[in-house]
């Protein structure tokens, strides 16, 4: 029996759930917080690490919920997890790029989309994303001075779109981003590495990580020792 293809709403839900899992994984793998703040769990048939800090979890889940509200409207271009230093300078940008492949009327968003992949197939793709993400340190190297690092969640909307404001509700849960945290704020000397991409037949999703010029420059600065000899840091 053939598997049922995804609906638009199932695809949005699946992608937002994956982004939430991926954010926790990024914070763990890049050591933004101590390892003992995380607990080992299983998602998409692969081990993952989830924060145990209630306030941090609430912040992440709230941001992901807001991302989902924009994604279902077709407004989202990119979601960026910015790893930054103590001076708020972006060191790494984990970039989730999204694009709607088809236009679907609101009354059809719970109907299976012809030629879209199945839920089980999407789960396998998410598993491959996470496996690559968990090994990203071998490509990026250990983050220097990670004890001073922090992160931000940035959303970039499609052209001429603004965060949705609901009548009689609180203002949109977003504030203007620091320009240098955005993809347009990256210098030409930043290095971009594609992690994984998938076309669900409904929404295409890719994940890439960008090392900023500032990070790359720091890695090249000689580390001086008492003997007066410098040690060159390189990728």
């Amino acid at each position: 029996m053939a598997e049922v293809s995804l609906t638009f709403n199932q695809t949005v839900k699946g992608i937002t759930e994956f982004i939430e899992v991926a954010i926790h994984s990024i914070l763990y793998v890049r050591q933004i917080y101590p390892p003992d703040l995380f607990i080992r769990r299983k998602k998409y048939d692969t081990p993952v690490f989830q924060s145990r800090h209630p306030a941090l979890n609430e912040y992440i889940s709230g941001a992901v919920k807001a991302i989902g509200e924009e994604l279902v409207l077709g407004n989202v271009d990119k979601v960026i997890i910015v790893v930054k230093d103590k001076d708020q300078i972006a060191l790494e940008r984990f970039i989730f790029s999204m694009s709607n492949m088809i236009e679907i009327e609101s009354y059809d968003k719970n109907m299976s989309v012809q030629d879209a992949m199945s839920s089980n197939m999407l789960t396998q793709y998410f598993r491959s994303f996470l496996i690559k993400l968990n090994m990203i340190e071998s490509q990026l190297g250990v983050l220097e001075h990670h004890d001073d690092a922090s992160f931000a969640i940035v959303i970039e909307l499609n052209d001429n779109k603004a965060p949705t404001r609901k009548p009689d509700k609180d203002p949109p849960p977003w504030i203007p981003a620091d320009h240098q945290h955005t993809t347009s704020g990256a210098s030409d000397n930043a290095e971009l590495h594609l992690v994984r991409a998938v076309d669900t037949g409904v929404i295409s999703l890719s994940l890439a990580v960008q090392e900023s010029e500032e990070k790359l420059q720091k890695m090249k600065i000689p580390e001086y020792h008492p003997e007066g000899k410098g040690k060159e840091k390189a990728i």
Side-chain angles (χ1 to χ4, degrees):
M1 183 177 177
E3 292 185 327
V4 177
S5 57
L6 290 162
T7 70
F8 180 87
N9 285 337
Q10 284 174 334
T11 306
V12 169
K13 182 180 179 183
I15 289 175
T16 52
E17 285 182 351
F18 165 70
I19 290 175
E20 184 164 8
V21 173
I23 292 172
H24 286 267
S25 296
I26 291 166
L27 299 183
Y28 175 80
V29 171
R30 303 312 285 147
Q31 302 179 53
I32 307 304
Y33 297 99
D36 58 9
L37 187 74
F38 296 83
I39 186 170
R40 184 185 174 99
R41 296 193 181 278
K42 195 171 186 181
K43 183 72 172 175
Y44 310 121
D45 295 322
T46 193
V48 296
F49 289 87
Q50 181 184 29
S51 158
R52 298 187 295 177
H53 194 288
L56 176 59
N57 293 353
E58 183 179 357
Y59 167 69
I60 294 172
S61 62
V64 170
K65 180 176 181 291
I67 289 167
E69 291 172 352
E70 300 297 338
L71 184 59
V72 78
L73 296 174
N75 292 345
V76 179
D77 180 35
K78 296 180 181 68
V79 174
I80 305 105
I81 312 306
V82 184
V83 175
K84 51 188 180 173
D85 66 12
K86 59 183 175 59
D87 297 317
Q88 305 300 302
I89 301 299
L91 303 176
E92 296 170 352
R93 300 175 183 87
F94 289 79
I95 305 166
F96 299 84
S97 299
M98 283 152 271
S99 177
N100 284 19
M101 304 306 296
I102 54 176
E103 293 292 331
I104 298 180
E105 297 294 340
S106 58
Y107 51 78
D108 282 335
K109 289 186 175 179
N110 284 317
M111 300 290 292
S112 293
V113 177
Q114 186 176 3
D115 298 328
M117 65 173 51
S118 67
S119 178
N120 286 338
M121 186 178 293
L122 185 58
T123 293
Q124 291 305 309
Y125 271 97
F126 287 156
R127 179 177 182 270
S128 66
F129 270 83
L130 287 173
I131 289 173
K132 285 203 166 188
L133 190 56
N134 288 336
M135 298 188 298
I136 201 71
E137 185 173 282
S138 64
Q139 189 170 17
L140 301 181
V142 176
L143 193 63
E144 296 291 332
H145 308 297
H146 57 78
D147 290 343
D148 295 327
S150 59
F151 81 104
I153 301 174
V154 175
I155 184 172
E156 294 184 6
L157 301 180
N158 291 316
D159 292 343
N160 303 318
K161 298 293 184 180
T164 306
R165 182 185 297 272
K166 295 181 180 179
D168 303 322
K169 294 286 186 179
D170 293 333
W174 300 101
I175 59 173
D178 187 324
H179 178 67
Q180 65 98 20
H181 291 168
T182 67
T183 54
S184 61
S187 78
D188 293 338
N189 293 322
E191 293 186 1
L192 188 69
H193 313 279
L194 180 64
V195 177
R196 198 75 168 88
V198 60
D199 179 357
T200 68
V202 184
I203 298 172
S204 67
L205 171 70
S206 67
L207 171 60
V209 58
Q210 186 178 58
E211 296 179 279
S212 71
E213 180 181 8
E214 290 81 2
K215 175 195 172 182
L216 297 174
Q217 289 297 326
K218 285 182 179 181
M219 294 177 73
K220 294 177 182 177
I221 296 175
E223 187 179 86
Y224 292 100
H225 298 271
E227 299 84 8
K229 295 182 179 180
K231 179 181 176 183
E232 186 75 15
K233 296 181 180 179
I235 297 176

